[in-house]
C-alpha cells in the first residue's frame, strides 16, 4: 500500500517541481492531490503522464492523507498547516514559518536524517532555506572529519528563488534594455535585476544583516552544529535558476584539500567537478534539473592555519526546495511510516 499525498501550492514554481520529482523518483504514492488558492482553482498541473486539476486549499479535508507538501508561503502555511497536522497528515513545509521552532525538526536528509523522528510533536517537518540546504550538504562531511569553527559565505542567488514574477521581471527587463520603449521598472526587486547584482535578499534587520543572511546562520547551527560560527552576505544575481556560493571554512584540525576532495566525492548528495583548467568547474546553468550539489574550486586558504575555500552550486528549485522536501518524505517513510 502506498501513500496518499497532497501538494499545496501546486501551481507555483516549487509546487510544480515537487510533482515532477515525486514522479521522477517514483515515490510510492497511491494518490496525489494538487491544491491551490481559489484564484488558481481548476488550473491543471502535470504529474508524470497524468494531469491533475487543482482543488481548493481552503476547503480541502486532509483526513486520511499521509503527507502534505506545503509550498504556499508563511501566511497560508500558518493558517492551513495546523489544520492538516491536526487531521493526522504530516506536513513538510517549504516556508520559513516553522524552521526555528524547537518542536519542529529542520531536515536535510544527507546531513541529519535522524531529526525526522521528532516530527510527532507537531506533525510538521520544516524544509530549510534554499541557500542553506546546498551549503550544509557540502559542510557536514568535512565537519565530521575536521570540525568546522567558522564559515564565511557569499551567495549568488537566482531570481527563481523569488517566484514566477521575479523570473518575468528579469526576462522583461533584459528585453527592455535592448528594445526602446519596452523598459521595465523594478517591482519585485528594489533595483533593476537585469545586468545587475543586488546585495539584498529579504528584509533588513537591526544588526545590518538581511533576514536571508540570518536564516543561513540560524539554520546551519540547527542542522549541523550550534557551535559553528557563520557569517553570510546574500546577493541576488541575474540568473534564472541555480544558486552559487563562495564558501570559506576554518576548521579546528588541519584538512588537506586533496583529502577534502576525496571526502566530498564519497559524500551523499555531492558531486565534485574540480579541474584546474578552463571550464573545470560548475556554473548555475549546468546544474539546472539535477539532483546533486556540485562542488568546485576546492583549495587551501593560506591566510589561516586550517582553512579551505570552495565553490558550491545547486538547482535552488530542486535541492534548495522541492527535492529536499521529497527526500524528507522518503526518509520519513523509511524510518517511520514504512509504507510502499
Amino acid at each position: 500500500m502506498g501513500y496518499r499525498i497532497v501538494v499545496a501550492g501546486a501551481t507555483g514554481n516549487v509546487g510544480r517541481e515537487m510533482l515532477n520529482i515525486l514522479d521522477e523518483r517514483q515515490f510510492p504514492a497511491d494518490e496525489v492531490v494538487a491544491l491551490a488558492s481559489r484564484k488558481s482553482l481548476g488550473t491543471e498541473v502535470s504529474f508524470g503522464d497524468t494531469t491533475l486539476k487543482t482543488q481548493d486549499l481552503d476547503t480541502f479535508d486532509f483526513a486520511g492523507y499521509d503527507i502534505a507538501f506545503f509550498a504556499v508561503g508563511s501566511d497560508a502555511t500558518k493558517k492551513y498547516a495546523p489544520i492538516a497536522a491536526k487531521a493526522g497528515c504530516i506536513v513538510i513545509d517549504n516556508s520559513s514559518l516553522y524552521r526555528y521552532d524547537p518542536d519542529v525538526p529542520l531536515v536535510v536528509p544527507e546531513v541529519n536524517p535522524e531529526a525526522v523522528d521528532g516530527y510527532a510533536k507537531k506533525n510538521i517537518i520544516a524544509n530549510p532555506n534554499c541557500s542553506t540546504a546546498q551549503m550544509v550538504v557540502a559542510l557536514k562531511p568535512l565537519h565530521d572529519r575536521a570540525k568546522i569553527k567558522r564559515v564565511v559565505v557569499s551567495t549568488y542567488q537566482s531570481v527563481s528563488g523569488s517566484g514566477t514574477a521575479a523570473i518575468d521581471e528579469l526576462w522583461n527587463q533584459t528585453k527592455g534594455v535592448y528594445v526602446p520603449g519596452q523598459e521595465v521598472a523594478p517591482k519585485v526587486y528594489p533595483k533593476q535585476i537585469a545586468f545587475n547584482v543586488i546585495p539584498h535578499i529579504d528584509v533588513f534587520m537591526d544588526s545590518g544583516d538581511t533576514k536571508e543572511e540570518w536564516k543561513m546562520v540560524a539554520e546551519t547551527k540547527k542542522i549541523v552544529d550550534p557551535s559553528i560560527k557563520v557569517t553570510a552576505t546574500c546577493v541576488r544575481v541575474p540568473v534564472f535558476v541555480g544558486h552559487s556560493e563562495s564558501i570559506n571554512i576554518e576548521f579546528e584540525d588541519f584538512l588537506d584539500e586533496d583529502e577534502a576532495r576525496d571526502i566530498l566525492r564519497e559524500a551523499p548528495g555531492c558531486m565534485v567537478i574540480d579541474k584546474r583548467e578552463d571550464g573545470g568547474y560548475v556554473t548555475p546553468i549546468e546544474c539546472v534539473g539535477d539532483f546533486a550539489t556540485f562542488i568546485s574550486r576546492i583549495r587551501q586558504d593560506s591566510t589561516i592555519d586550517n582553512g579551505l575555500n570552495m565553490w558550491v552550486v545547486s538547482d535552488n528549485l530542486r535541492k534548495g526546495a522541492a527535492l529536499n522536501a521529497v527526500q524528507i518524505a522518503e526518509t520519513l517513510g523509511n524510518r517511520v511510516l514504512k509504507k510502499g
Side-chain angles (χ1 to χ4, degrees), residues 99-102 104-108 111-112 114-115 128-129 131-133 135-137 139-140 143 147-153 209 212-232:
R99 290 176 189 158
Y100 319 107
D101 186 326
V104 174
L106 179 65
V107 179
V108 176
V111 177
N112 62 337
E114 70 288 344
N129 185 45
S131 49
T132 305
M135 182 172 77
V136 298
V137 167
L139 293 183
K140 180 59 162 61
H143 180 64
K147 193 168 176 60
I148 295 171
K149 289 173 61 177
R150 182 172 184 255
V151 173
V152 181
V153 56
D209 291 322
E212 185 83 354
E213 292 155 356
W214 176 85
K215 289 174 187 174
M216 293 194 74
V217 175
E219 293 175 21
T220 301
K221 288 176 176 290
K222 184 171 180 178
I223 296 167
V224 183
D225 188 331
S227 70
I228 297 176
K229 296 179 180 179
V230 181
T231 183

Side-chain angles (χ1 to χ4, degrees), residues 17 73 79 93 103 106 109 123 125 129 183 188 194 202 231 249 253 258 267 273 277 287 289 306 311 318 334:
E17 204 63 35
K79 180 177 180 181
D93 175 35
D103 291 333
L106 179 65
N123 235 24
I125 300 172
N129 185 45
E183 296 84 1
V188 176
D202 211 326
T231 183
I249 311 164
D253 301 318
D258 292 326
I273 307 290
E277 60 187 42
C287 81
N306 302 318
W311 174 253
R318 292 205 155 209
N334 292 335

Side-chain angles (χ1 to χ4, degrees), residues 33-256:
V33 175
L35 301 183
S37 63
R38 286 190 176 164
K39 69 178 182 179
S40 301
L41 195 60
T43 301
E44 292 185 340
V45 293
S46 296
F47 175 62
D49 295 330
T50 63
T51 300
L52 306 177
K53 187 169 284 191
T54 55
Q55 300 181 36
D56 188 1
L57 172 60
D58 194 48
T59 59
F60 185 75
D61 182 1
F62 288 91
Y65 287 86
D66 297 297
I67 299 170
F69 296 96
F70 269 63
V72 293
S74 294
D75 290 342
T77 297
K78 188 174 184 179
K79 180 177 180 181
Y80 297 108
I83 295 171
K86 189 175 181 181
C89 181
I90 300 170
V91 172
I92 299 174
D93 175 35
N94 195 59
S95 81
S96 62
L97 183 65
Y98 292 104
R99 290 176 189 158
Y100 319 107
D101 186 326
D103 291 333
V104 174
L106 179 65
V107 179
V108 176
E110 298 94 335
V111 177
N112 62 337
E114 70 288 344
V116 299
D117 300 346
Y119 80 94
K121 289 182 180 178
K122 289 192 174 179
N123 235 24
I124 297 170
I125 300 172
N127 210 23
N129 185 45
C130 49
S131 49
T132 305
Q134 67 186 64
M135 182 172 77
V136 298
V137 167
L139 293 183
K140 180 59 162 61
L142 302 180
H143 180 64
D144 289 344
R145 161 62 180 81
K147 193 168 176 60
I148 295 171
K149 289 173 61 177
R150 182 172 184 255
V151 173
V152 181
V153 56
S154 297
T155 72
Y156 308 79
Q157 295 178 228
S158 68
V159 297
S160 55
S162 302
T164 304
I167 293 174
D168 292 342
E169 183 158 297
L170 172 56
W171 176 252
N172 291 326
Q173 282 183 353
T174 301
K175 288 192 298 181
V177 168
Y178 292 105
V179 183
Q182 292 191 17
E183 296 84 1
V184 175
K187 290 183 181 178
V188 176
Y189 298 116
K191 297 195 177 190
Q192 177 181 307
I193 185 62
F195 303 98
N196 200 13
V197 296
I198 303 173
H200 173 196
I201 301 178
D202 211 326
V203 298
F204 277 96
M205 304 175 72
D206 290 342
S207 64
D209 291 322
T210 62
K211 188 74 176 290
E212 185 83 354
E213 292 155 356
W214 176 85
K215 289 174 187 174
M216 293 194 74
V217 175
E219 293 175 21
T220 301
K221 288 176 176 290
K222 184 171 180 178
I223 296 167
V224 183
D225 188 331
S227 70
I228 297 176
K229 296 179 180 179
V230 181
T231 183
T233 300
C234 294
V235 182
R236 192 71 70 186
V237 297
V239 170
F240 287 112
V241 178
H243 286 359
S244 304
E245 296 170 345
S246 171
I247 305 175
N248 175 267
I249 311 164
E250 183 179 0
F251 297 93
E252 288 193 2
D253 301 318
F254 179 76
L255 179 59
D256 177 78

